[in-house]
Amino acid sequence: MRARYSAHTLGLVDFVINTYHSSCHAEQQREAIADSVNSEWVALEVLDSSSGSHDDEGFVTFKAFFNEEGKQYCLEERSRFIREDGLWFYIDGEYPQVEDPRLSQSVQSLKIGRNDPCICGSGKKFKKCCG
């Protein structure tokens, strides 16, 4: 994980592509991978690592921070790696589910402004969606 992050910060597109598992067909996604690599990466926090269902599978949960248009963003993922011939390859990842805390409140207690995002998750303003 740290090597892949370092490759992102150094702009090493080929390294990143070569550390994808062959089943991912990363070469076909070269342009999108290059766009990601060429972002302004600023920090990595490894939150957890764990073994998988066998010795050649492992998971790393991390947060990677990057800047874009004057704002800092965070990519959080639980990545799955597979070991082949002694080398670890990225195969896929899961993003944490972010739930709107307003969904756990009763409708009567909700204080939703007309211009607030809709609680249904549509991305529209409340007044243009469920309001």
Side-chain angles (χ1 to χ4, degrees):
M1 184 67 243
R2 291 188 203 306
R4 284 176 55 86
Y5 174 79
S6 295
H8 276 75
T9 65
L10 296 170
L12 304 176
V13 176
D14 289 335
F15 181 89
V16 173
I17 288 173
N18 291 333
T19 57
Y20 273 91
H21 189 266
S22 59
S23 66
C24 297
H25 307 288
E27 186 61 47
Q28 296 172 3
Q29 305 298 322
R30 178 176 279 277
E31 189 174 323
I33 292 169
D35 285 345
S36 173
V37 167
N38 292 321
S39 297
E40 185 185 343
W41 297 98
V42 294
L44 172 69
E45 291 179 20
V46 175
L47 305 174
D48 186 45
S49 62
S50 58
S51 299
S53 60
H54 51 84
D55 290 343
D56 293 324
E57 179 183 55
F59 295 90
V60 177
T61 303
F62 69 93
K63 289 182 178 182
F65 298 88
F66 63 97
N67 293 331
E68 187 174 285
E69 298 179 3
K71 289 185 174 182
Q72 188 168 94
Y73 297 92
C74 176
L75 167 67
E76 185 174 350
E77 182 178 303
R78 181 175 186 251
S79 299
R80 182 169 63 119
F81 291 86
I82 300 291
R83 182 172 41 199
E84 288 183 353
D85 299 323
L87 299 173
W88 288 98
F89 296 93
Y90 174 85
I91 192 156
D92 57 22
E94 299 173 344
Y95 301 106
Q97 296 294 322
V98 179
E99 186 175 302
D100 190 323
R102 296 175 296 174
L103 293 175
S104 62
Q105 299 176 19
S106 69
V107 174
Q108 292 80 12
S109 70
L110 282 175
K111 302 245 189 279
I112 302 173
R114 293 175 38 79
N115 290 318
D116 288 343
C118 191
I119 62 171
C120 76
S122 68
K124 297 178 183 177
K125 291 182 179 182
F126 181 70
K127 69 181 177 186
K128 295 282 189 181
C129 193
C130 296

